[in-house]
Amino acid sequence: MSISYSEPLVKGFNRMKKSLFQPFNLSKWINVGFTAFLAGLADCGGGSGGGGNSNIGNKMENFDWNEFYSFPSIAQNWLIEHPFWFALIITGLLFLVVIAVVITWVSSRGKFMFLQNVVKNEEEIVKPWKEFRKEGNSLFWWQFIYGWIVLLIFVLLAIYGFGVAKNIHNGVLPEVSKISFIIGFIVTIIALFIVFGYISLFLNDFIVPIMYKYRISATKAWSKLLSLTLSNPGSFIVYGLFVFLLTIAVVIAVLIAALATCCIGLLLLMIPFINAVILLPISYTYRAFSIEFLAQFGSDFDLIDNTEQVQIID
């Protein structure tokens, strides 16, 4: 079986053009953009970078590492001595957890809404929200449990790393053990990010379409996908690398376009819903690309009828 990556991308791009520009319909654009916004709610994230300065070396030299490694006990004593603030912090954390749970639940349903509009070339909101209630809830529970497992793994890893780093600082470990730990810890972190990255990628790109096609639970969809990936491991590994490079290219292009508007575009992109509407051609193409790629593995994984397939335009 010959698996292509460029052909599904071209088909996805052509499907996007047909849906959003032939003809252009502002109402449809906004409606589909809203479902794309819901689908990406739980995937939103942000980060910021900071510049260095000439004093950073001096600051590191003067840093009190003893106080740093004593932080857990200092924090514990402070919380015991300030019960009001302890209760306030716990309440705030619980509130954030509730918000995250609600966002994940809405986003789980939204993924099927957006997929439905891409597959059927529609602009429905209410209909797919109701129709895929069962599948959306199954996806939510899978993500909920998976999210806590990932969090627990990283928390335990951080605790272990902190403890070993403290022993290194106190001179408990020999020099060889220090080097082995640092290398092993870095490799473990990178490996976990790669594994969890692939799981998250496959969840959105393949599990949701399989659940959509067969109207099955997330667990059963994973069973089908695992059988497929074990038969074609290289194709799916390369898919992840292809998406990674594609994402980098898209991000660079969007940043250049935003900067060309004297940063007005960047300000607009910071508003989640506006971001989803403006970048709809990108998210639409990507969603269509994933289902076109999956369709290459046979009719069992083809979401679009042959009569609906978008042909490649030379």
Side-chain angles (χ1 to χ4, degrees):
M1 179 186 298
S2 178
I3 299 300
S4 173
Y5 301 91
S6 59
E7 184 176 334
L9 182 59
V10 173
K11 285 185 176 182
F13 179 75
N14 289 334
R15 177 168 290 277
M16 179 276 296
K17 288 196 302 182
K18 178 182 178 182
S19 177
L20 300 182
F21 296 100
Q22 300 174 355
F24 174 78
N25 185 322
L26 181 59
S27 175
K28 178 180 181 180
W29 187 298
I30 293 175
N31 287 338
V32 177
F34 178 69
T35 62
F37 163 70
L38 294 182
L41 268 180
D43 304 326
C44 291
S48 60
N53 57 64
S54 59
N55 296 324
I56 189 170
N58 294 330
K59 290 181 179 179
M60 290 300 295
E61 290 179 2
N62 298 326
F63 188 80
D64 191 344
W65 288 102
N66 290 324
E67 183 177 349
F68 172 76
Y69 288 117
S70 300
F71 175 77
S73 59
I74 294 174
Q76 181 180 2
N77 293 333
W78 186 89
L79 291 173
I80 294 174
E81 294 171 0
H82 300 80
F84 172 77
W85 287 105
F86 177 70
L88 193 62
I89 292 172
I90 294 299
T91 302
L93 291 175
L94 290 175
F95 177 75
L96 291 177
V97 169
V98 170
I99 295 297
V101 168
V102 172
I103 288 176
T104 303
W105 178 74
V106 173
S107 177
S108 297
R109 194 83 65 92
K111 291 182 185 299
F112 291 96
M113 298 165 66
F114 184 41
L115 179 61
Q116 170 87 335
N117 286 329
V118 172
V119 172
K120 300 295 185 182
N121 189 15
E122 297 176 343
E123 52 178 310
E124 295 287 345
I125 295 177
V126 177
K127 180 181 176 182
W129 171 268
K130 295 179 179 179
E131 183 178 353
F132 293 97
R133 177 184 61 84
K134 181 179 179 181
E135 289 76 18
N137 290 340
S138 175
L139 180 64
F140 161 72
W141 282 113
W142 197 95
Q143 291 188 105
F144 179 80
I145 297 172
Y146 168 71
W148 281 108
I149 292 174
V150 172
L151 178 61
L152 178 61
I153 289 175
F154 277 109
V155 168
L156 293 176
L157 193 61
I159 293 173
Y160 171 74
F162 183 87
V164 176
K166 184 177 180 179
N167 289 333
I168 291 175
H169 174 72
N170 294 332
V172 175
L173 295 177
E175 193 66 31
V176 176
S177 298
K178 295 178 184 179
I179 298 175
S180 300
F181 166 74
I182 293 172
I183 295 176
F185 194 78
I186 293 175
V187 170
T188 300
I189 292 293
I190 294 174
L192 286 175
F193 270 107
I194 292 174
V195 171
F196 292 144
Y198 265 99
I199 291 175
S200 298
L201 176 69
F202 289 177
L203 181 68
N204 181 72
D205 288 17
F206 305 132
I207 295 302
V208 172
I210 293 173
M211 293 176 67
Y212 172 90
K213 180 178 178 65
Y214 290 100
R215 309 300 295 267
I216 56 177
S217 68
T219 303
K220 292 181 179 179
W222 272 111
S223 178
K224 284 182 172 294
L225 181 63
L226 286 175
S227 298
L228 181 63
T229 53
L230 290 176
S231 301
N232 307 271
S235 300
F236 286 93
I237 292 174
V238 174
Y239 176 87
L241 297 174
F242 183 83
V243 170
F244 177 71
L245 295 176
L246 183 64
T247 301
I248 293 176
V250 169
V251 169
I252 293 175
V254 170
L255 287 177
I256 292 175
L259 292 173
T261 64
C262 300
C263 293
I264 295 176
L266 283 177
L267 294 176
L268 291 175
L269 293 178
M270 292 176 65
I271 305 173
F273 176 69
I274 301 299
N275 178 297
V277 172
I278 293 176
L279 300 183
L280 180 61
I282 296 175
S283 59
Y284 198 108
T285 299
Y286 180 76
R287 178 73 278 181
F289 161 61
S290 65
I291 60 179
E292 293 286 1
F293 175 83
L294 194 59
Q296 295 181 104
F297 295 94
S299 59
D300 289 346
F301 299 96
D302 191 353
L303 277 66
I304 305 169
D305 296 335
N306 292 330
T307 56
E308 297 288 334
Q309 291 283 2
V310 177
Q311 300 298 321
I312 297 177
I313 301 176
D314 295 328

